[in-house]
Amino acid sequence: MNPHSEPPKPGTNDNSSDSASFSDPSDPSDFDSFGSAEPTARSGPPGPPGPAAPDDPVNPANSSDRPAGPTDPSNPAAPTPPTPPTLPAGAPQSSPPTEPRVTLRSAAELADALPYLLGFYPDDSIVLVALHGEHGRFGGRVRLGIPTDTTQWPDVSDQLADCLVSAGKDRAARPAGILVFLCQEPAAGETGKDVKDRLRPLAQRLRTACGALDVPVLEALCLSNGRYWSYCCPDFRCCPPDGTPLVMPGTSVMAAAAAYAGMQVRGSLKEMEARLTPRTGPRAADQVKALDAAAAALVPRMLRRDGAAVVRRDTLDLAGAMIRRFRQDTPSGSNRARDACDDALITDGEAADLILGLQDRATRDRAAEWMDGPEAAPALRLWRALARRCAGGYAEHAAAPLTLAGWVCWSTEDGPSARVALGRALSVDPDYLFAQLLHRAVNDGLDPEPLRRSLRGQREEALAADSALAAAAKEAAQPATRPGQGRSGAAGRPRKPRGATAPGARSTDGRGRRRAGRDGDRSRR
């Protein structure tokens, strides 16, 4: 679902800054916030799972105050509905537009809807979803990795609750309720029930934090090992101690609505991050050697006259060649198989030159021009492949290709993938300004078209400048013409060799006789 706005980031808690393992919600590298859901997704009435509300817009037959129809013989006193007005013949028949809606009536449907709300399955995550209005319409959403240090859970709960509720204040609409999801797979020797029991204090702390802001938690679910448990329902008949199996993928109402709307789930968060994680093992060692060699050769090149411009041009030419190579070879199969094919299309030396060249801001901005059309897909594959090559001590160099990957995803309306890529970029370099700005723009639901127009204008200016430079270089390469060359007259005629007998070589004096030289030789002047 396309995000539309982002709740403001909460401030960093000073009490939690001493722990290195703390996942600070104010850090965008590990904190994702999402705007309101599309209007096609609605939740059921606030409260425990149950039948649809009397005024359910999807199923009006459940309404208790709906008058009986005029053909109902068992109710002679039923009021007759008013006769609709008669339009003139030929007048257009118009009806008020209706908004498609999906009503979720049970905890199982809520659990199944979570990947469609985020665009991926959130591994090891806390997810809070705001509900607005009488019918519990989906609103803002925030996600954070579950801290491993349990002493940080109270601070994390307070900041997440404040973040989601304060976003409602900005829109002049406080949430009517909040849904809490705790998603984590069992560790070695654990079961799903063990995960549920271990995370119960976190769920309770989240409910307390939201209640302190006068916003109730209507449902808190733990999703683990293909099952879900409710922390709010005490009835073992509907919420057994061993959990309830999740519905089969693609069989729920939300899955049908998502398929109809063209939405897709891009796998789990771990799978998406694995496509951006640097390689390890012997291949990583070979890549580090190539990076070291490229870095050693780059310094002398930069010290030459116009060295920066030359390196920038060479980097962009190489990137363009790689994009054409990737475009001509489109792999198939699983994500892992496609990534392996992409890795085979680029050598360690080429990857090293591109990674180091993209550290220049101007070069990176020019590379961002490959953002739409037929160049977008191969460019995204190239940036991902380069991010996987930033191994060893070059991990921070991945910020540039990761940010470019996030920009291409956002430009092609893939918000979930953009958040993951930009989050990875900020995790390796929290001060990378371009990633910070893009991450904020994606979460705010801004339109990328103004930035695309700016980059298109930048490309046109760069092409015009390159054409002007090429024309100037061509003109400078032509041989210069001497001032006296090309004039008519005797100076322009070819000179004859001495002793020539041609008429033009003769000269006479005023008496018409040939003049002789000093030695009497009449053949010389």
Side-chain angles (χ1 to χ4, degrees), residues 286-365:
D286 295 339
Q287 184 62 64
V288 170
K289 292 180 181 178
L291 286 166
D292 291 339
L298 181 63
V299 175
R301 294 176 61 192
M302 295 292 292
L303 294 178
R304 297 173 185 171
R305 184 178 180 181
D306 298 333
V310 173
V311 172
R312 184 179 300 119
R313 183 173 61 252
D314 293 345
T315 302
L316 293 174
D317 291 344
L318 179 58
M322 292 298 100
I323 289 176
R324 290 189 294 271
R325 182 186 301 177
F326 276 52
R327 186 178 177 183
Q328 294 172 359
D329 192 344
T330 303
S332 60
S334 63
N335 290 338
R336 179 176 296 183
R338 290 197 293 266
D339 292 344
C341 293
D342 290 343
D343 291 337
L345 291 177
I346 183 171
T347 64
D348 291 342
E350 292 169 338
D353 291 337
L354 286 175
I355 290 171
L356 296 177
L358 290 174
Q359 304 309 306
D360 177 63
R361 183 185 61 82
T363 307
R364 181 208 62 198
D365 293 345

Side-chain angles (χ1 to χ4, degrees), residues 496-508 522-525:
K496 299 297 181 178
R498 293 186 177 184
T501 58
R506 295 181 179 181
S507 60
T508 59
R522 296 179 180 273
S523 64
R524 296 182 180 178
R525 293 183 182 181

Side-chain angles (χ1 to χ4, degrees), residues 6 45 54 78 163 208 219 260 274 290 293 326 329 360 362-363 383 386 401 413 449 452 472 476 479 489 501 512 515:
E6 178 200 12
C163 175
T208 304
E219 184 59 273
Y260 180 78
F326 276 52
D329 192 344
D360 177 63
T363 307
W383 308 142
L386 293 180
E413 300 182 355
E449 181 57 28
R452 284 199 296 256
T501 58
R515 292 179 297 178

Side-chain angles (χ1 to χ4, degrees), residues 45-57:
D55 53 351
D56 185 356

Side-chain angles (χ1 to χ4, degrees), residues 27-211:
D27 182 5
S29 64
D30 194 35
F31 180 78
D32 296 328
S33 54
F34 309 83
S36 57
E38 291 187 4
T40 56
R42 285 179 178 267
S43 68
D55 53 351
D56 185 356
V58 178
N59 189 7
N62 295 333
S63 177
S64 59
D65 57 350
R66 185 172 62 90
T71 58
D72 188 357
S74 62
N75 189 2
T80 303
T83 304
T86 303
L87 297 177
Q93 302 288 334
S94 61
S95 58
T98 59
E99 182 186 61
R101 303 169 182 174
V102 176
T103 301
L104 307 179
R105 297 182 176 86
S106 66
E109 292 180 348
L110 288 175
D112 179 73
L114 181 59
Y116 299 98
L117 293 176
L118 303 181
F120 55 87
Y121 182 81
D123 302 289
D124 296 332
S125 299
I126 307 169
V127 180
L128 270 62
V129 180
L131 300 178
H132 295 273
E134 184 180 0
H135 304 298
R137 176 171 178 149
F138 288 137
R141 304 176 293 281
V142 294
R143 186 205 67 85
L144 178 69
I146 298 177
T148 56
D149 188 357
T150 58
T151 60
Q152 299 162 359
W153 289 357
D155 294 331
V156 167
S157 302
D158 293 339
Q159 294 183 40
L160 286 176
D162 180 73
C163 175
L164 193 58
V165 174
S166 62
K169 293 179 182 178
D170 294 341
R171 301 188 186 95
R174 287 174 58 86
I178 292 178
L179 300 177
V180 175
F181 299 90
L182 301 179
C183 308
Q184 192 173 72
E185 291 303 310
E190 272 190 330
T191 63
K193 185 176 182 301
D194 296 334
V195 175
K196 184 263 298 184
D197 295 336
R198 178 166 50 81
L199 298 180
R200 181 181 293 276
L202 176 59
Q204 184 60 33
R205 190 63 183 82
L206 288 167
R207 296 176 64 185
T208 304
C210 295

Side-chain angles (χ1 to χ4, degrees), residues 370-383:
W370 291 300
M371 75 247 170
D372 55 5
E375 298 172 340
L380 177 59
R381 293 163 52 198
L382 175 61
W383 308 142

